[in-house]
Amino acid sequence: MATLNDEIEANGGPLALLRSGRSGAFPFPIAAEFTNWRDEQESWRTTAALMDLSHHMTDLTVEGPDCYRLLSALGANSFKGFGPLKAKQFLTCNYDGQVIGDCILFCLADNLVRIVGRPPALNWVQFHAETGGYDVTLRRDERTVQNRKGREYYRLQLQGPYAAEIFEKVNGGPLPAIPFFTMGRFTIGKHEVTALNHRMSGFPGLEFFGPYEDLDDVRATVLEAGEPYGIRQVGARAYASVATESGWIASTVPAVYTGDSMKPFRAWQSARSFEANLALGGSFDPDTIEGYYVTPWDLGYGHIVKFDHDFIGREALERMRGEKHRKKVWLSWHRDDVARVFASMYETGDRRFKYIDTPAAFYSGAQFDRIEKNGRLIGLSTLCSYTANVRGWLSVAMIDEDELSYGQEVELVWGEPDGGSANPAVERHSQTTIRATVVRRPFSTDKS
């Protein structure tokens, strides 16, 4: 069977492989809109939003006596206090301290953890479980687009100012106390659910899950209870923009494509894997794939890196922690420049600029656009979306620490180098710049 390493060699290196346009943006296989994406966006800040997370993420269940030992050996964050009904943002790095991926750990019972997220971190765990001599068993529940058997669990999220009232209504009384990033159990109608306390908007909410066959009844119960509160189901178009508001940089390039220490993983990983089919996009065009690699500090995860245990990448991260890093920020795009890009759709020839899809404008699996100041590269812009909550365009960005000044104006380079790429999702176009203001958070009232 062909491997990731075979694909890299056959295509002349990882950059050529990932720039070939094998995949588009990460898919959210639910209805595009249930009402309209503008009102759906506003619902998670004004009323209540029901989001369906059942289909786009991969689940990997790890069970056995070595479960915690395996995860601790790979995770850059602490495992103190971790156990049943606890959850954790799980951050994995390569041997040089560069990020492979992050995801969420759901500890459902002692030595039983369900890992949920984009595939790279899950693949890294599976590789070590299968090759490292750990006493664990694995069960993989692929995302819907790769899963002919059907999902084991549904996963829904209810967010917004009225979420608490709706949960009490469907539970028939007050919910148990569920501290942040801890799980608890209650009922929705006749069905027991397990819920995680975390948020993807500026308001509290719960992510809850149960057997997939319960989905339709659970969803109908929540929607009926939420109708007096103005609940809305969130479709794929609005959901694709929520990470931009919340500040999660989801579209990283897993740092697995280079280095002798990573060769065993590349030889183990399939040519049909996420890593082999990830599409790169954006105006940033480094000479090597390492230019895309990021560290925990770039993503705003520096505070969760803990050196209280041994893990892959620890020595490198210990050396890095005293260095200068990029900082995660938001960019608020200038409306006149965005309007100019849209206006170019009516120009002939190659004078048009790269199309800005609305509300989520990212068009590849990992998109990085140049941020410049006086023509100098000072950072990278990632997920970019229009949000009706600010009536404007935002992107989540990483800016060099020495160049960071909140409130300053910078320029985002919009469009592919050389007028396009091999990706069939990218039309021929001309590059341009969009002015943007560096801001701490898109919403001054956020407590998250």
Side-chain angles (χ1 to χ4, degrees):
M1 182 177 69
T3 68
L4 171 61
N5 202 60
D6 294 334
E7 289 297 289
I8 291 172
E9 292 180 356
N11 284 270
L15 267 183
L17 172 66
L18 301 189
R19 281 282 186 183
S20 64
R22 293 186 168 200
S23 72
F26 201 66
F28 301 102
I30 57 174
E33 296 171 293
F34 289 94
T35 51
N36 66 85
W37 62 259
R38 283 80 63 197
D39 287 340
E40 290 170 13
Q41 281 184 332
E42 291 182 352
S43 68
W44 60 67
R45 289 189 167 267
T46 59
T47 56
L50 183 62
M51 307 176 188
D52 190 348
L53 288 63
S54 305
H55 301 287
H56 69 277
M57 294 183 290
T58 302
D59 292 18
L60 177 68
T61 299
V62 182
E63 184 175 11
D66 287 343
C67 176
Y68 300 154
R69 186 169 73 88
L70 167 65
L71 297 175
S72 179
L74 304 178
N77 37 332
S78 177
F79 280 77
K80 286 184 177 178
F82 186 66
L85 292 185
K86 296 288 187 181
K88 181 176 292 296
Q89 186 89 24
F90 184 57
L91 179 65
T92 61
C93 296
N94 68 11
Y95 297 88
D96 296 319
Q98 296 150 328
V99 173
I100 292 174
D102 69 303
C103 53
I104 304 295
L105 304 182
F106 295 81
C107 189
L108 302 180
D110 194 31
N111 283 310
L112 172 59
V113 175
R114 197 169 182 95
I115 311 174
V116 181
R118 284 164 63 98
L122 284 66
N123 296 340
W124 187 235
V125 171
Q126 183 174 345
F127 165 67
H128 285 278
E130 293 183 358
T131 63
Y134 291 94
D135 186 5
V136 294
T137 59
L138 304 177
R139 188 174 73 255
R140 194 163 174 120
D141 184 15
E142 297 289 356
R143 53 190 178 145
T144 297
V145 295
Q146 296 174 297
N147 191 336
R148 295 181 179 179
K149 298 182 300 181
R151 301 306 306 265
E152 296 178 2
Y153 287 104
Y154 71 83
R155 193 172 300 277
L156 300 175
Q157 189 171 74
L158 183 63
Q159 299 273 323
Y162 294 113
E165 287 91 334
I166 298 171
F167 277 126
E168 286 200 6
K169 189 173 178 181
V170 298
N171 187 51
L175 268 61
I178 306 177
F180 185 67
F181 246 70
T182 298
M183 289 180 284
R185 294 190 170 103
F186 57 92
T187 60
I188 294 180
K190 64 182 181 181
H191 303 285
E192 183 180 72
V193 303
T194 303
L196 168 66
N197 180 354
H198 83 119
R199 60 185 64 183
M200 289 182 66
S201 68
F203 290 90
L206 297 174
E207 177 179 316
F208 54 97
F209 55 93
Y212 190 83
E213 56 265 26
D214 295 347
L215 172 59
D216 290 343
D217 195 34
V218 167
R219 179 167 47 206
T221 301
V222 173
L223 290 173
E224 181 180 3
E227 187 174 2
Y229 299 95
I231 192 172
R232 288 184 185 268
Q233 291 191 81
V234 173
R237 295 185 73 184
Y239 184 79
S241 68
V242 73
T244 304
E245 282 198 20
S246 65
W248 178 43
I249 301 178
S251 57
T252 55
V253 173
V256 300
Y257 298 97
T258 51
D260 289 342
S261 61
M262 299 301 294
K263 276 185 177 179
F265 174 79
R266 296 194 296 272
W268 170 89
Q269 184 57 283
S270 165
R272 301 182 65 183
S273 64
F274 178 95
E275 293 87 348
N277 290 277
L278 178 65
L280 287 176
S283 60
F284 181 58
D285 188 24
D287 293 331
T288 65
I289 193 68
E290 288 91 345
Y292 289 102
Y293 292 175
V294 295
T295 72
W297 291 275
D298 298 333
L299 303 178
Y301 288 152
H303 65 288
I304 70 172
V305 176
K306 302 297 180 185
F307 301 106
D308 60 356
H309 64 297
D310 289 327
F311 60 91
I312 290 176
R314 173 178 172 167
E315 291 184 6
L317 291 172
E318 285 186 303
R319 292 193 298 269
M320 287 181 194
R321 61 177 166 176
E323 299 173 358
K324 300 278 188 179
H325 302 286
R326 284 177 170 159
K327 297 286 187 181
K328 185 181 77 173
V329 299
W330 279 261
L331 300 183
S332 177
W333 295 13
H334 288 211
R335 59 187 297 175
D336 291 346
D337 286 357
V338 175
R340 178 173 50 82
V341 173
F342 278 112
S344 77
M345 292 172 59
Y346 302 95
E347 298 290 342
T348 58
D350 61 359
R351 291 181 293 177
R352 66 181 177 182
F353 302 129
K354 177 73 190 74
Y355 178 63
I356 301 181
D357 202 4
T358 308
F362 39 94
Y363 51 87
S364 61
Q367 184 167 323
F368 292 85
D369 293 307
R370 292 175 60 92
I371 302 171
E372 297 181 349
K373 184 71 175 178
N374 299 323
R376 293 180 296 106
L377 178 69
I378 65 168
L380 301 174
S381 174
T382 61
L383 298 177
C384 44
S385 302
Y386 173 88
T387 168
N389 291 306
V390 299
R391 304 297 171 93
W393 284 86
L394 299 170
S395 60
V396 191
M398 302 170 285
I399 291 184
D400 296 342
E401 189 174 338
D402 287 340
E403 300 283 354
L404 178 59
S405 177
Y406 293 105
Q408 73 170 320
E409 183 178 290
V410 297
E411 289 188 328
L412 183 151
V413 180
W414 182 250
E416 297 280 316
D418 304 319
S421 72
N423 189 338
V426 178
E427 76 280 15
R428 301 305 298 173
H429 61 274
S430 298
Q431 275 190 342
T432 188
T433 57
I434 297 173
R435 290 169 296 164
T437 302
V438 180
V439 297
R440 290 182 184 274
R441 298 198 67 83
F443 307 98
S444 61
T445 56
D446 274 4
K447 299 290 191 294
S448 57

